[in-house]
Amino acid sequence: LSPHNPGIVYVASQYVWRSLNRGATGSFQRISPDLSKADKSKLAESRKTNLQWATVYSFAESPKKPGLYWAGTDDGNVQLSTDFGATWTNITDQFYDKNGKPKVGPKGETIIKGDLIPYDRWVKRVVPSAFDENTCYLAYSGYRTHSEDKTWLYVTKDLGKTWTNISGGMNNPIFDVEEDPHNANVLYLGTDYGIFVTVDQGKTWTAFST
């Protein structure tokens, strides 16, 4: 549901769909292109194993600004729309070339500012901040795609132009992340090994309980 209007409903496949009247039959309209990588070989493999692939797994509208949409796919794409879905920017493509290699300058020099987000891990959550429209938290998991336990958690404060790794060096596959509704410094992280909390926007993490 839209945080600005409970009559607006979003659902996602490889596309994002929107209903302006509570999801009534026939009211959903497609408001995005295919936001996934849509790798044909991976799609063929997913049909054999009955596992989803190339789908928008996480979608959220900014609680601060109507029509500011974030979407993350299970094949690694992070997408942003600032105009109610009329146009979309592939954030991942801003950091990687068509072969999935980090972009470099004409002399092979690093041109990426900030920390490099992953290319093909599963985007588990996109969480636009309720305190700042330019801020969004981004959580990945490599458990299914790369058989790894590494924690992947990032924050942007400039609408995806640069990212900061706030994973804390943990090795806990992420399932979910939430921003505290009253304190912008507090985040809750749900992982395969329990719940963790930070009170300093990810600089340090503590086990929430045993």
Side-chain angles (χ1 to χ4, degrees):
L1 302 182
S2 169
H4 306 283
N5 182 340
I8 299 177
V9 183
Y10 303 100
V11 296
S13 51
Q14 69 271 47
Y15 311 112
V16 176
W17 305 79
R18 180 180 61 205
S19 165
L20 299 179
N21 59 345
R22 293 180 167 79
T25 301
S27 67
F28 279 99
Q29 294 183 329
R30 182 162 64 87
I31 60 169
S32 80
D34 187 338
L35 298 180
S36 74
K37 290 183 170 64
D39 184 287
K40 292 183 179 180
S41 62
K42 291 288 185 67
L43 284 168
E45 182 181 345
S46 70
R47 292 188 182 98
K48 295 177 182 178
T49 60
N50 202 31
L51 288 174
Q52 69 174 41
W53 193 254
T55 61
V56 177
Y57 185 78
S58 183
F59 171 85
E61 181 178 17
S62 167
K64 287 287 288 182
K65 184 178 180 181
L68 177 57
Y69 301 151
W70 289 89
T73 70
D74 57 8
D75 55 4
N77 275 353
V78 180
Q79 302 266 8
L80 171 68
S81 175
T82 60
D83 53 11
F84 293 89
T87 60
W88 290 82
T89 299
N90 189 324
I91 300 296
T92 306
D93 280 355
Q94 294 183 340
F95 297 93
Y96 291 92
D97 62 24
K98 62 181 181 180
N99 297 314
K101 302 296 183 183
K103 288 184 176 179
V104 295
K107 297 181 180 179
E109 73 275 17
T110 299
I111 60 173
I112 295 170
K113 297 180 180 179
D115 294 322
L116 182 65
I117 58 175
Y119 175 71
D120 54 1
R121 268 72 176 178
W122 186 349
V123 181
K124 296 304 291 271
R125 286 281 272 139
V126 287
V127 182
S129 174
F131 300 92
D132 175 31
E133 67 185 57
N134 295 318
T135 296
C136 184
Y137 298 95
L138 175 60
Y140 296 83
S141 174
Y143 187 78
R144 187 185 82 169
T145 56
H146 294 74
S147 297
E148 66 185 9
D149 284 346
K150 186 174 180 179
T151 303
W152 299 96
L153 182 63
Y154 297 82
V155 62
T156 180
K157 297 185 178 180
D158 55 12
L159 287 179
K161 294 181 179 66
T162 60
W163 295 87
T164 300
N165 188 330
I166 56 171
S167 305
M170 293 187 290
N171 282 291
N172 305 323
I174 293 176
F175 186 80
D176 198 3
V177 60
E178 292 290 347
E179 183 183 54
D180 188 275
H182 305 294
N183 189 334
N185 294 316
V186 178
L187 302 171
Y188 305 96
L189 190 65
T191 78
D192 284 2
Y193 302 116
I195 300 172
F196 293 80
V197 63
T198 178
V199 296
D200 52 18
Q201 285 198 332
K203 293 182 178 66
T204 57
W205 290 92
T206 305
F208 191 72
S209 73
T210 55

